[in-house]
Amino acid sequence: MPHYNAPFEIHVHGQVLLRADVTYEQLQDALKPLWKYAGARSLADGAGSAYEEEPGIQFDTKEHLLQMCWSVSGDNDFRQSLDDMCMGINELAEQGAAIEVTFYDTEFDEEDEPEEAESRDDFLMLFVGPTPAAIMQVQRDLLVQDVVNLMERHFDGSELGGVVQEIDKLFSQRFDALVSSLELGKPPRGLGGSGTGGHGGGRRPRHLH
């Protein structure tokens, strides 16, 4: 059913390289938590975004690429749909990928609200991939990029090799701990999950990619 008067506008954005043998039917099943939440009866029916200028959910069969720039109205229960979707995509992914999800508070108007008021906007970074190692690689690459971009304001890039080595060391320790725990069937912290932000730092511009 469509979510009328929903408290959030939710935008899902990212691209995932899929295995060459993945079929449309398999992808439709993996993405069922999304299109079913939108009240659709199939992926084709639910692939269109709430905004016409967004391409929605697209499957490039030639490049084996899932591309998402898709918005839907909803509530916090959409987070469960995201978790279920990540589990489905993990089974189809060729390599690790990040998916950005932004919740926009539809009831918050910056012009009308008191200056001290904060919106309920939220931002999640989800990670998918065929193995925990593939997912950790994406997490590592994004963290290195963020840290280097931040520190290059104060240091030359050639000075930051030690910082990158320390980040690699942290991820190696996390992966070793995962392997030694014999819990490869369970996702490590942050796997398919999220890093949360967006409160108190100003609203993220809508549809800025």
Side-chain angles (χ1 to χ4, degrees):
M1 294 290 290
H3 296 259
Y4 298 109
N5 300 318
F8 294 105
E9 245 174 33
I10 308 163
H11 183 67
V12 182
H13 192 89
Q15 60 180 33
V16 184
L17 182 64
L18 304 177
R19 297 194 320 270
D21 63 336
V22 170
T23 65
Y24 182 87
E25 289 71 24
Q26 288 175 303
L27 184 60
Q28 176 172 251
D29 188 56
L31 294 176
K32 186 175 181 179
L34 298 193
W35 54 259
K36 188 174 182 181
Y37 189 90
R41 295 187 176 184
S42 66
L43 176 55
D45 184 32
S49 177
Y51 290 91
E52 291 184 3
E53 65 268 25
E54 295 176 352
I57 301 173
Q58 297 182 328
F59 180 30
D60 185 332
T61 55
K62 184 177 179 180
E63 300 295 332
H64 312 296
L65 195 65
L66 165 65
Q67 300 189 74
M68 293 181 287
C69 180
W70 181 82
S71 294
V72 67
S73 296
D75 207 334
N76 276 312
D77 60 351
F78 186 69
R79 296 170 189 266
Q80 182 60 53
S81 297
L82 290 170
D83 287 343
D84 294 341
M85 181 269 293
C86 285
M87 295 300 291
I89 294 297
N90 285 343
E91 300 292 325
L92 308 181
E94 173 69 24
Q95 61 188 39
I99 300 172
E100 300 176 356
V101 183
T102 311
F103 286 72
Y104 295 101
D105 185 348
T106 60
E107 300 170 0
F108 185 85
D109 189 324
E110 288 181 291
E111 295 183 0
D112 297 337
E113 300 290 342
E115 188 173 331
E116 67 277 6
E118 290 189 5
S119 73
R120 294 174 297 167
D121 289 3
D122 202 1
F123 175 73
L124 312 176
M125 185 70 82
L126 306 177
F127 298 93
V128 296
T131 64
I135 291 175
M136 285 187 184
Q137 183 65 47
V138 176
Q139 293 174 322
R140 175 264 178 203
D141 291 347
L142 283 175
L143 180 58
V144 168
Q145 182 180 359
D146 288 344
V147 170
V148 169
N149 287 343
L150 177 64
M151 296 191 69
E152 279 185 337
R153 301 175 190 175
H154 309 282
F155 301 93
D156 186 85
S158 62
E159 300 177 83
L160 301 178
V163 175
V164 174
Q165 288 175 7
E166 289 302 314
I167 293 174
D168 286 338
K169 191 182 300 182
L170 288 171
F171 275 98
S172 293
Q173 291 170 356
R174 173 178 286 189
F175 186 72
D176 290 345
L178 177 70
V179 173
S180 64
S181 70
L182 300 179
E183 291 185 3
L184 280 172
K186 296 182 180 180
R189 188 175 61 183
L191 185 66
S194 59
T196 303
H199 291 291
R203 307 193 79 184
R204 284 173 56 86
R206 194 184 307 270
H207 310 135
L208 179 64
H209 307 308

